[in-house]
Amino acid sequence: MAPPPTSQQKSPSPSQPSGKSEVTDLKLQLRQLAGSCAPGADDSRRELFKKVISFMTVGVDVSAAFSEMVMCSATSDVVLKKMCYLYVCNYARSNPDLALLTINFLQKDCRDQDPMIRGLALRSLCSLRVANLVEYLVSPLTSGLRDSSSYVRMVAAIGVLKLYHISSSTCLDSDFPAMLKTFMLNDPDAQVVANCLSSLQEIWSLEAGNSEEVSREREALLSKQVVYYLLNRIREFNEWAQCLVLELASKYIPSDNNEIFDIMNLLEDRLQHANSAVVLATIKVFLYLTMSMTDVHQQVYERIKAPLLTLVSSGSTEQSHAVLGHLHLLVMRAPMLFSSDYKHFYCQYSEPSYVKKLKLEMLTAIANESNTYEIVTELCEYVASVDIPISRESIRAIGKIALQQYDVNAIVDRLLQFLEMEKDYVTAETLVLVKDLLRKYPQWSHDCIAVVGNISSKNVQEPKGKAALIWMLGEYSNDMLDAPYILEGLVENWEEEHAPEVRLHLLTAAMKCFFKRPPEAQKALGAALAAGLADSNQDVRDRALFYYRLLQSDVSVAERVVNPPKQAVSVFADTQSNEIKDRIFDEFNSLSVLYQKPAYMFTDKEHRGPFEFAEELGSLSLGASTEETVMPVQSYEANDNDLLLSTSEKEDSGGPINNDSAYSAPNYDAPTPLVSLVDTKVQSEADLLDLVLPTTTPSKVSSAFDDLLGLGAPSLPAPTLKLNPKAVLDPSGFQRKWGQLTTSLSKEFSVNPQGVAALVVPQSLLRHMQGHSIQCIASGGQPPNLKFFFFAQTDGESSPHPFFLVECLINTSSAKAQIKIKAEDPSLSEPFSALFQSALSALSPF
Amino acid sequence: MITDRGEVPKGSAEIFFRKVKFWKGDEAEEAPPVFNVDGVNYIHVKVAGLLFVATTRVNISPSLVLELLQRIARVIKDYLGILNEDSLRKNFVLVYELLDEVIDFGYPQTTSTEVLKSYVFNEPIVVDSARIPPLGPAAMFMQGAKRMPGTAVTKSVVANEPGGRKRDEIFVDIIEKISVTFSSSGYILTSEVDGTIQMKSYLSGNPEIRLALNEDLSIGRSGGNSMYDYKSSAGGGIVILDDCNFHESVHLDNFDLDRTLTLVPPDGEFSVMNYRMTQEFKPPFRINALVEEAGSHKAEVIIKIRADFSTSVTANTVTVQMPVPKYTTRVSFELESGAIGQTTDFKENNKRLEWCLNKIVGGSEHTLRAKLTFSQESHGNLTKEAGPVNMNFTIPMYNASRLQVKYLQIAKKSKTYNPYRWVRYVTQANSYVARL
């Protein structure tokens, strides 16, 4: 057991005497009392022991008194014994020779009449952690496991694990795991069962990979027999052991839906538990079990909402933080389901910043047509708050909501009002946002520029805000009368602008302004280039030099490069990839959720928990969840079924019955863990760069290459349909359309073996299809079953340009693909299907 | 600090302490309860000014650890009677002994004070509780940790009373934390009651008890999708809870029928039930705040508070706070004539007005006027620079939700057996805010 109990532990300071004389003194007194049977001797011994332990606690080395302590411990007084055990365990490891002294009396105590003493002695014996003493552990542990007292058995079950950590071979050779397993399945005492389970889980997960037998044993823990046995006894366990069992149950893979409902009904009342750990563990079971049943999964979300909110508001700040973190994760996965609960995520006056930040993120996520007005109004209150970090976050939140394109009109007005508040940080944050908004909604430029033009650059101190302002000056120089002169003023103060970010923007803005209003901006540009060329920052200097050379070689080219007509940005890249988000979901009810990072980012391998290993495998495949890696065969089969089941079910219930539910669409943030979103990053990144060359897009290049190499579907007639290589559709748009449209065509066909081979890396398909102007929006699954969602848009003079949406299931073992097409113009689905099929058949690993 | 398996480097206590103390240097942000330094996860809770910390390298369930730490603090309190630095220092051997039984090799074993009694032998050294108000029905609830008010009971579950015999008694506290946000026009934007029924039992022989709540209590807002659908509460005195949860020991067999809870209370303090209500309720205080410009470098603030509850009830330790513009240099206050037990202060460093009232009797109204002097001209909208008004208070014998313990029945062992039972109500402000 661990030493220092609290935070007030003192480290020995140099001024404090090392305690040497005191220790000698204590030794003397102990020796005097050692054999004494005088009345009150135990009391004096207790006092002395307490002193020794208090020295130990504050860090004074009292190991010198070891033999005296051992001598004194030959007593029947339990309090004394306990203190002595505490002392012995603390020093045994560093003094293995002395530890040998204690073996004798510990072994004797293991045979004491009093079960308390037997248990204590056994626990201490196992806690010595001295390798050369393991031989003395085996027989007390063996009899401990068979003891008539449950207390001793409880201690022995954990004792086995301690032995394993001292000497795994001794533990395994003595066949302890098998004994643990027997007791786990038979012991009448629930805590003994729980301890056996803890020990077994840890031992087998550390041993896994060493032999097949171990792997089988490990799998057996997740067998129906074991899981059902434990679940049926769940009420006997205390709340901590319940968590252990529930965690195990969340890994269990039921064979059919009835099993799922049985388990959920059995555990239903656990959601009403006051202990948040029990509730979260139960929720994990519910979420994982229903992963393949869209409707039920959604019901689970509805069911767990109220208990989670209650846990957030009862209990300590710390506990509610942990629950809120999980609620945050769920809200982010299915924001629509929480959109009517937005008031619960309003910040409260006294909450710590880390709670408020989570709430702001949730408010941002759940904002939709129905609640945006209220949410933004509330956020505006926080902007005026005295808590500056929260004020900043609130502005960013409002901006994000605006970028999600609900009710932009009103939001832009409010943002512009912030600029009138004349608070430095508010102005800076708002400018950054206005800039992003303009990049997405150029149509707002008129209103924004009118307000932004009134802002004096002197009132903007923060580099980010300043850079945003300068960007707008360059971009909208035509609309802002004195833009060239403001820029000129800023360039003159070049030396005072320390941030390279600002200087870079100044250079670009001066260039842009120059192309728009050459005579007025010439001076500013000249000064900026001169200053830039002399700049000490590498990037600034390089950019100045680049502009300079461009201008030298050809001004019109320079204009085309630096100042091309902008395309509005449709989606800003998400900061966190969906693969990461899925992994965090796979690690529900763990620290990963609070850190918002998967475990591999903050733990070393051996500490990832009893059932998580094989990370290398996991990180390669798309959204491979840990359970699959644990039990490959079984889980793949299960996934097989689920995937097929869910498709057929979808087809059955697809039509009008489900159409009103927001979830009938193959939702990226809902059910199947197997589906992970693929970012439309490629395009957006390109748009983010101001200086990108407007030449042929990579996709065109690659499709040209494909044709050159003659891979473009030789056996099929060339399709007449033309697709837009740069079609853009955001996930929510996809979802909406998928929900609205009915399937216009479904088909099954074979994929050539080469293509199947290429699917070892599913990403290759995404890139390949992109080359054929078919974009992937979501993908997932486990070999042999892979699932993809694609979209494409027609191209050509005649507008409108209808979209095609495709769900594509590929079974790599049977080399079959199943596609389901939903088209905005159903008459085109036949030619599109041909195009899609030819594109798919052209897939090869090269 | 709990480090049970020697996986964590020495000096982790030091690392933890430094990190918590200086979280993010300049910004005055609190450290989150869970953080990671060099692969070691530090998980802590703060109870009665003490930090309880656990460390682990495993990707464990944070809720499990936080609940466990909270429970450990409670078990220690059950044993020591009072939980503070002093009592902990005096009883560290006992605390070691408790921890030894609560956790073995990193696995939680038991946190039931009841069960622990049979394993733990050290007797607590009870620290002097002179500074804590005396026990009894009139005893005030302990202040301190705002979100988790403890009961006034400071008796150890194991130590014998100085008088010799143990007194059979049971305490049931209905503690409600209320959150209300008023808009600038006085309209209630959001309101919530987070309540808990806490119990601390000193009954010998662990008899079964029955706790009856309002018969018309209903749980879960049926119909209407919105949690904030107030229509249902317009008529009658029905108490509608959004949701609730219960302690492990509670049997709900009759709950659906007659709203009674049956339980055999374990020793020590625990929450029988936690509940949450967003049904509209009458807020205990109405706040009226006004900021007006009064000249180029001056402004006047008027804050009015009306106690909207029965005259037999008195709120105490009321504080009203309001941030004022950053460029405020001086504030002069003017209290109503004859004001007793009221103090005012201008917190210079965080630019905040503070108004404390020792007592507010139900039905009364109080006003504060403050004249602000600015170092610069205010630009336009003062309401964006000041506020909101935030209020803190405790109201004993008052509960906002109207949830009640109708009776508390103890299974009788004999005719003469009639233990003391204390049922007490208290309402506290969690976040009580009026916007300008």
PDB file of all heavy atoms in Angstrom, chain B residues 172-186:
ATOM      1  N   VAL B 172     -31.945  13.678   8.148  1.00  0.00           N
ATOM      2  CA  VAL B 172     -32.299  13.695   6.731  1.00  0.00           C
ATOM      3  C   VAL B 172     -32.300  15.154   6.290  1.00  0.00           C
ATOM      4  O   VAL B 172     -33.027  15.969   6.851  1.00  0.00           O
ATOM      5  CB  VAL B 172     -33.685  13.076   6.475  1.00  0.00           C
ATOM      6  CG1 VAL B 172     -34.018  13.140   4.992  1.00  0.00           C
ATOM      7  CG2 VAL B 172     -33.720  11.638   6.968  1.00  0.00           C
ATOM      8  N   ASP B 173     -31.456  15.472   5.349  1.00  0.00           N
ATOM      9  CA  ASP B 173     -31.365  16.847   4.875  1.00  0.00           C
ATOM     10  C   ASP B 173     -31.794  16.912   3.423  1.00  0.00           C
ATOM     11  O   ASP B 173     -31.295  16.156   2.599  1.00  0.00           O
ATOM     12  CB  ASP B 173     -29.917  17.346   4.978  1.00  0.00           C
ATOM     13  CG  ASP B 173     -29.465  17.421   6.416  1.00  0.00           C
ATOM     14  OD1 ASP B 173     -30.323  17.663   7.283  1.00  0.00           O
ATOM     15  OD2 ASP B 173     -28.260  17.236   6.681  1.00  0.00           O
ATOM     16  N   ILE B 174     -32.712  17.822   3.134  1.00  0.00           N
ATOM     17  CA  ILE B 174     -33.092  18.049   1.745  1.00  0.00           C
ATOM     18  C   ILE B 174     -32.370  19.315   1.310  1.00  0.00           C
ATOM     19  O   ILE B 174     -32.699  20.414   1.761  1.00  0.00           O
ATOM     20  CB  ILE B 174     -34.615  18.175   1.565  1.00  0.00           C
ATOM     21  CG1 ILE B 174     -35.284  16.836   1.870  1.00  0.00           C
ATOM     22  CG2 ILE B 174     -34.981  18.562   0.138  1.00  0.00           C
ATOM     23  CD1 ILE B 174     -35.696  16.662   3.272  1.00  0.00           C
ATOM     24  N   ILE B 175     -31.372  19.135   0.503  1.00  0.00           N
ATOM     25  CA  ILE B 175     -30.528  20.263   0.124  1.00  0.00           C
ATOM     26  C   ILE B 175     -30.784  20.588  -1.341  1.00  0.00           C
ATOM     27  O   ILE B 175     -30.661  19.710  -2.202  1.00  0.00           O
ATOM     28  CB  ILE B 175     -29.042  19.912   0.333  1.00  0.00           C
ATOM     29  CG1 ILE B 175     -28.816  19.553   1.804  1.00  0.00           C
ATOM     30  CG2 ILE B 175     -28.145  21.069  -0.079  1.00  0.00           C
ATOM     31  CD1 ILE B 175     -27.507  18.847   2.054  1.00  0.00           C
ATOM     32  N   GLU B 176     -31.143  21.812  -1.612  1.00  0.00           N
ATOM     33  CA  GLU B 176     -31.397  22.179  -3.007  1.00  0.00           C
ATOM     34  C   GLU B 176     -30.478  23.315  -3.428  1.00  0.00           C
ATOM     35  O   GLU B 176     -30.315  24.295  -2.708  1.00  0.00           O
ATOM     36  CB  GLU B 176     -32.864  22.577  -3.187  1.00  0.00           C
ATOM     37  CG  GLU B 176     -33.792  21.401  -2.934  1.00  0.00           C
ATOM     38  CD  GLU B 176     -35.228  21.666  -3.336  1.00  0.00           C
ATOM     39  OE1 GLU B 176     -35.596  22.841  -3.507  1.00  0.00           O
ATOM     40  OE2 GLU B 176     -35.969  20.670  -3.468  1.00  0.00           O
ATOM     41  N   LYS B 177     -29.887  23.136  -4.581  1.00  0.00           N
ATOM     42  CA  LYS B 177     -29.078  24.212  -5.162  1.00  0.00           C
ATOM     43  C   LYS B 177     -29.876  24.764  -6.329  1.00  0.00           C
ATOM     44  O   LYS B 177     -30.292  24.004  -7.205  1.00  0.00           O
ATOM     45  CB  LYS B 177     -27.740  23.671  -5.666  1.00  0.00           C
ATOM     46  CG  LYS B 177     -26.887  23.065  -4.580  1.00  0.00           C
ATOM     47  CD  LYS B 177     -25.687  22.351  -5.170  1.00  0.00           C
ATOM     48  CE  LYS B 177     -26.152  21.118  -5.926  1.00  0.00           C
ATOM     49  NZ  LYS B 177     -25.074  20.490  -6.705  1.00  0.00           N
ATOM     50  N   ILE B 178     -30.115  26.033  -6.339  1.00  0.00           N
ATOM     51  CA  ILE B 178     -30.929  26.559  -7.423  1.00  0.00           C
ATOM     52  C   ILE B 178     -30.123  27.457  -8.345  1.00  0.00           C
ATOM     53  O   ILE B 178     -29.217  28.171  -7.924  1.00  0.00           O
ATOM     54  CB  ILE B 178     -32.192  27.310  -6.919  1.00  0.00           C
ATOM     55  CG1 ILE B 178     -31.820  28.461  -5.998  1.00  0.00           C
ATOM     56  CG2 ILE B 178     -33.126  26.370  -6.208  1.00  0.00           C
ATOM     57  CD1 ILE B 178     -33.030  29.272  -5.576  1.00  0.00           C
ATOM     58  N   SER B 179     -30.445  27.370  -9.617  1.00  0.00           N
ATOM     59  CA  SER B 179     -29.813  28.211 -10.628  1.00  0.00           C
ATOM     60  C   SER B 179     -30.909  28.959 -11.361  1.00  0.00           C
ATOM     61  O   SER B 179     -31.839  28.343 -11.871  1.00  0.00           O
ATOM     62  CB  SER B 179     -29.059  27.368 -11.644  1.00  0.00           C
ATOM     63  OG  SER B 179     -28.144  26.545 -10.991  1.00  0.00           O
ATOM     64  N   VAL B 180     -30.801  30.268 -11.363  1.00  0.00           N
ATOM     65  CA  VAL B 180     -31.787  31.073 -12.078  1.00  0.00           C
ATOM     66  C   VAL B 180     -31.038  32.148 -12.856  1.00  0.00           C
ATOM     67  O   VAL B 180     -30.069  32.722 -12.350  1.00  0.00           O
ATOM     68  CB  VAL B 180     -32.784  31.753 -11.110  1.00  0.00           C
ATOM     69  CG1 VAL B 180     -33.809  32.578 -11.867  1.00  0.00           C
ATOM     70  CG2 VAL B 180     -33.482  30.734 -10.241  1.00  0.00           C
ATOM     71  N   THR B 181     -31.449  32.381 -14.074  1.00  0.00           N
ATOM     72  CA  THR B 181     -30.910  33.501 -14.834  1.00  0.00           C
ATOM     73  C   THR B 181     -32.071  34.400 -15.237  1.00  0.00           C
ATOM     74  O   THR B 181     -33.011  33.942 -15.887  1.00  0.00           O
ATOM     75  CB  THR B 181     -30.163  33.026 -16.086  1.00  0.00           C
ATOM     76  OG1 THR B 181     -29.216  32.043 -15.696  1.00  0.00           O
ATOM     77  CG2 THR B 181     -29.431  34.181 -16.759  1.00  0.00           C
ATOM     78  N   PHE B 182     -32.001  35.664 -14.805  1.00  0.00           N
ATOM     79  CA  PHE B 182     -33.017  36.630 -15.196  1.00  0.00           C
ATOM     80  C   PHE B 182     -32.505  37.447 -16.371  1.00  0.00           C
ATOM     81  O   PHE B 182     -31.340  37.847 -16.378  1.00  0.00           O
ATOM     82  CB  PHE B 182     -33.308  37.608 -14.044  1.00  0.00           C
ATOM     83  CG  PHE B 182     -33.856  36.962 -12.808  1.00  0.00           C
ATOM     84  CD1 PHE B 182     -33.016  36.626 -11.750  1.00  0.00           C
ATOM     85  CD2 PHE B 182     -35.207  36.694 -12.688  1.00  0.00           C
ATOM     86  CE1 PHE B 182     -33.512  36.047 -10.605  1.00  0.00           C
ATOM     87  CE2 PHE B 182     -35.719  36.112 -11.531  1.00  0.00           C
ATOM     88  CZ  PHE B 182     -34.865  35.783 -10.483  1.00  0.00           C
ATOM     89  N   SER B 183     -33.364  37.716 -17.312  1.00  0.00           N
ATOM     90  CA  SER B 183     -32.965  38.591 -18.409  1.00  0.00           C
ATOM     91  C   SER B 183     -32.995  40.027 -17.907  1.00  0.00           C
ATOM     92  O   SER B 183     -33.439  40.300 -16.794  1.00  0.00           O
ATOM     93  CB  SER B 183     -33.923  38.431 -19.580  1.00  0.00           C
ATOM     94  OG  SER B 183     -35.147  39.049 -19.259  1.00  0.00           O
ATOM     95  N   SER B 184     -32.562  40.932 -18.753  1.00  0.00           N
ATOM     96  CA  SER B 184     -32.501  42.329 -18.321  1.00  0.00           C
ATOM     97  C   SER B 184     -33.899  42.863 -17.993  1.00  0.00           C
ATOM     98  O   SER B 184     -34.046  43.780 -17.196  1.00  0.00           O
ATOM     99  CB  SER B 184     -31.841  43.177 -19.400  1.00  0.00           C
ATOM    100  OG  SER B 184     -32.434  42.895 -20.642  1.00  0.00           O
ATOM    101  N   SER B 185     -34.925  42.246 -18.569  1.00  0.00           N
ATOM    102  CA  SER B 185     -36.262  42.735 -18.274  1.00  0.00           C
ATOM    103  C   SER B 185     -36.909  41.977 -17.110  1.00  0.00           C
ATOM    104  O   SER B 185     -38.096  42.128 -16.852  1.00  0.00           O
ATOM    105  CB  SER B 185     -37.130  42.643 -19.522  1.00  0.00           C
ATOM    106  OG  SER B 185     -36.994  41.371 -20.105  1.00  0.00           O
ATOM    107  N   GLY B 186     -36.140  41.156 -16.425  1.00  0.00           N
ATOM    108  CA  GLY B 186     -36.658  40.479 -15.248  1.00  0.00           C
ATOM    109  C   GLY B 186     -37.341  39.159 -15.536  1.00  0.00           C
ATOM    110  O   GLY B 186     -37.835  38.490 -14.644  1.00  0.00           O
TER     111      GLY B 186
END
